[in-house]
Amino acid sequence: MKKIYTTLLLFVASLTASAQGWPANYDGVMLQGFSWDSFVDTQWTNLERQADEMKGYFDLIWVPQSGNCNSSYNQMGYTPVYYFDQNSSFGTEAQLRSMIKAYKERKIGIIADVVVNHRNVLGVGGSWVDYPAEVYKGVTYQMQPTDICKNDDGGKTKTWADGKGISISGNSDTGEDWDGCRDLDHKSENVQNIIKVYLGFLLDDLEYAGFRYDMTKGFSRSYVADYNATTKPQFSVGEYWDGNVNNLKNVVNQMKKNGQIQSATFDFAFRYSARDACNNTNWSKLANGGLATQSGFDRYAVTFVENHDMQDRGNVSNYTKDPITKNVAAANAWLLAMPGTPCVFLLHWKSYKDEIKQMILARKAAGITNQSTFTQVSSAIQYYEMYTTGAKAKLYAVFGNKSFSGSDYVKILSGTNYAYYLEKKAETPWVSLAEDTYTDPMEATLTAVSQTADAKLVYTLDGSDPTVSSTQVSSGAKITISETCTLKVGLLIGGVVKNIITRHYTIKPFEPHKATIYLKNPDWTTPVYFYAWANDENNTQLLGNWPGTQITTTKEIDGCTWYCYEFNVDMKDYSFNIIFNQGSGKKQTVDIGPLSEDTYYEIGAEVGGKFTVNDVTGTVTAITPITFNNRPNTDNNWYDLNGRRLTGEPTTKGVYIYQGKKILR
């Protein structure tokens, strides 16, 4: 066996030594960038492609545990095996580094999911206790059987070890037992040293911005404090699953080192208040609040209304559903109007993106932070009213059946069972249309949120800053966004333009087209089948009953064989889903979709009999999104990417332009 070094590496902190647990007066918003089994949505390459869209809305993105799990049991990362091998079901280490770098360049931090309550083993020869030896910066790190709590798995591990003549730790667990894999003895110096080196690796080498600690009920919170005091993350939040706000207060106080709090915690009490209010349409339940409504603890409250452990996962065995089933947008409106640091759930972001974008912008326009003061105005089953005093203005929020008209406020946003009113003190323009890609021209209302009664608005559509000579309108004016543009709007008060805001819009008219789905040859010993269905009311099968159609059409791209099938996308908002499989009774991929454009996939890791897939469209084709025009293109000539017309159809592999579209031959 290699000599094991337990000397702790000293890391140079990249952040200030004064960073304690979570920044004071922090005005950022976080996104949980995954849901359960989100192997396609959360591919590092897929997340990286969304970096520009996230900019201006999210300041932090929490991603799943990124280490190699070496197991088909739980590729979501919650039974980790390797700490320093960062190749996971979500992508390679190189792709992870690229994704983190892309977001860091846009001033968005990536939060690592740190799973150190427990650790899975290699499982060689049926052993319960064998951990890999990992070399990092020339030093070998390896946990031993003596690093496993003596009461792990209700004593079953010790019984097994005794039968094999193997010694495990003499220390009991410092928290709750979990029988999914071995519970680590955090009293062990070896465990502490390896975890600290691992956390330093995440911060200083991979350049994560901070940590989300999994299952802090499973070990003493004092160790979270110790690990953070050593590695000094600016952002740290623990998962202590408890809806009792007093228990959450105690948890925060337990994460102290040298008298200073070292980590925030997720506000489960806040979450349950949202669930009870929204699912029962009983808005008085919002008055229960959470840790974020407790003075002195709001700084350390990371609020949320849904996560991967609570979402509806269908008919999954041994899983208790607890999702918010009604008023999801209203739940997020409450989340984003309150103090604490809000964490938006990926599935909510995907389903209510335009509304959530506007909510975040409203929060930022008011200058709300994790320590802003909130005031409850009225509470009843039928409605709830409150406002939060931000650094710039107050944001007044109404939920349920209640109208509001305050002379000091302007209504800027509303949806099912919620409305936002921004205090005129904000002195900002407001645009009703969320940034997005639209297929049709869209109408936007421009509003002046200003204490000046006759404040006007000036705007441009070419990305230039508006001046006093730009197009001038009164508050409430409607304009049409008919083509891709950058809208800039400013307040015009006393002959001076101020507080300019920017919105980017893409207008991409729908045109019937073909969408070809490619699968890189998976080298299966059985034929390749595509099973597909439309996202319509009937989930119409597109390639027949399961297992679908055996695919024999292939294309050669850069020396690789790709199976492919072409689908008709002939209706606006039409999309479809697909599953690659080996035929009836054999293995298959996870569900993929919705799809409506050419997409390229590779088979990824196997998870419980299902394969994950990697979307490699960008790396295979390097094709930018196609922009359609409104006129049919009758030009049957082929052109190269420099616009030179060819004498006929291309005879060599490459990307060409045909009838206004980029085509891969």
Side-chain angles (χ1 to χ4, degrees), residues 126-260:
S127 173
W128 288 29
V129 297
D130 57 321
Y131 289 107
E134 297 187 83
V135 179
Y136 178 62
K137 292 190 175 181
V139 180
T140 299
Y141 299 94
Q142 186 175 27
M143 289 185 182
Q144 303 297 320
T146 50
D147 292 325
I148 298 171
C149 298
K150 73 175 182 180
N151 59 338
D152 174 62
D153 206 357
K156 294 178 183 177
T157 304
K158 187 176 189 306
T159 299
W160 178 91
D162 288 346
K164 300 288 185 180
I166 298 173
S167 296
I168 63 173
S169 175
N171 297 321
S172 294
D173 202 331
T174 56
E176 292 184 0
D177 183 31
W178 185 66
D179 61 5
C181 49
R182 306 289 69 81
D183 280 14
L184 298 178
D185 176 17
H186 287 263
K187 293 180 181 178
S188 162
E189 182 180 353
N190 189 43
V191 168
Q192 293 177 20
N193 289 348
I194 291 174
I195 289 175
K196 289 175 182 178
V197 172
Y198 166 55
L199 296 180
F201 163 67
L202 294 177
L203 282 180
D204 303 325
D205 195 330
L206 295 179
E207 298 191 27
Y208 276 105
F211 311 138
R212 176 265 184 186
Y213 283 95
D214 179 65
M215 198 177 172
T216 61
K217 270 192 175 183
F219 60 108
S220 172
R221 272 65 61 196
S222 65
Y223 293 109
V224 172
D226 183 45
Y227 299 149
N228 283 353
T230 298
T231 57
K232 294 182 170 56
Q234 186 178 15
F235 302 97
S236 171
V237 55
E239 178 212 31
Y240 190 93
W241 196 332
D242 195 313
N244 185 300
V245 71
N246 289 322
N247 290 345
L248 295 178
K249 286 182 180 180
N250 290 335
V251 165
V252 171
N253 285 324
Q254 288 163 6
M255 294 187 290
K256 286 183 178 178
K257 181 80 172 183
N258 299 324
Q260 293 183 310

Side-chain angles (χ1 to χ4, degrees), residues 407-450:
S407 59
D408 293 331
Y409 294 86
V410 176
K411 185 176 182 179
I412 58 170
L413 179 63
S414 64
T416 302
N417 281 322
Y418 78 89
Y420 274 4
Y421 301 81
L422 186 58
E423 189 180 21
K424 292 178 179 179
K425 182 182 175 183
E427 294 294 335
T428 182
W430 182 261
V431 181
S432 65
L433 183 65
E435 292 184 312
D436 209 337
T437 297
Y438 299 95
T439 57
D440 298 312
M442 299 297 293
E443 186 176 80
T445 302
L446 308 185
T447 301
V449 182
S450 175

Side-chain angles (χ1 to χ4, degrees), residues 100-130:
I100 293 173
K101 180 175 182 290
Y103 278 98
K104 187 174 181 179
E105 288 172 348
R106 292 161 177 80
K107 302 188 185 309
I108 300 172
I110 302 296
I111 300 296
D113 205 319
V114 173
V115 184
V116 292
N117 168 69
H118 50 266
R119 189 177 182 186
N120 211 355
V121 295
L122 289 169
V124 178
S127 173
W128 288 29
V129 297
D130 57 321

Side-chain angles (χ1 to χ4, degrees), residues 361-382:
L361 292 177
R363 178 185 184 87
K364 292 180 180 292
I368 295 174
T369 74
N370 56 351
Q371 292 181 279
S372 292
T373 302
F374 99 100
T375 301
Q376 179 176 298
V377 178
S378 61
S379 174
I381 292 176
Q382 296 81 11

Side-chain angles (χ1 to χ4, degrees), residues 37 39-40 578-580 588-592 610-613:
D37 293 336
F39 298 112
V40 177
I578 196 166
I579 296 174
F580 306 124
Q588 65 185 64
T589 65
V590 296
D591 296 2
I592 307 161
K610 290 187 178 182
F611 292 97
T612 62
V613 294

Side-chain angles (χ1 to χ4, degrees), residues 32-83:
Q32 180 179 352
F34 66 99
S35 59
W36 203 265
D37 293 336
S38 63
F39 298 112
V40 177
D41 283 339
T42 313
Q43 285 291 307
W44 306 141
T45 52
N46 190 24
L47 286 177
E48 182 172 341
R49 283 194 292 271
Q50 300 173 62
D52 284 329
E53 183 180 17
M54 301 291 189
K55 183 180 179 181
Y57 298 100
F58 295 108
D59 306 272
L60 299 169
I61 298 178
W62 159 33
V63 299
Q65 197 279 131
S66 55
N68 183 352
C69 290
N70 193 43
S71 166
S72 62
Y73 170 64
N74 188 340
Q75 290 290 349
M76 284 299 296
Y78 289 110
T79 57
V81 175
Y82 292 93
Y83 285 168

Side-chain angles (χ1 to χ4, degrees), residues 437-443 481-482 506-510 572-573:
T437 297
Y438 299 95
T439 57
D440 298 312
M442 299 297 293
E443 186 176 80
I481 306 297
S482 58
T506 299
I507 304 297
K508 182 180 177 182
F510 173 76
K572 178 183 173 182
D573 298 327

Side-chain angles (χ1 to χ4, degrees), residues 508 510-511 513-518 569 574-576 594-601 617 625-626 628:
K508 182 180 177 182
F510 173 76
E511 181 175 294
H513 61 280
K514 307 287 187 181
T516 303
I517 305 303
Y518 296 85
V569 180
Y574 176 87
S575 63
F576 57 92
L595 302 167
S596 60
E597 301 288 348
D598 291 1
T599 316
Y600 295 75
Y601 292 104
T617 305
I626 298 170
F628 299 101

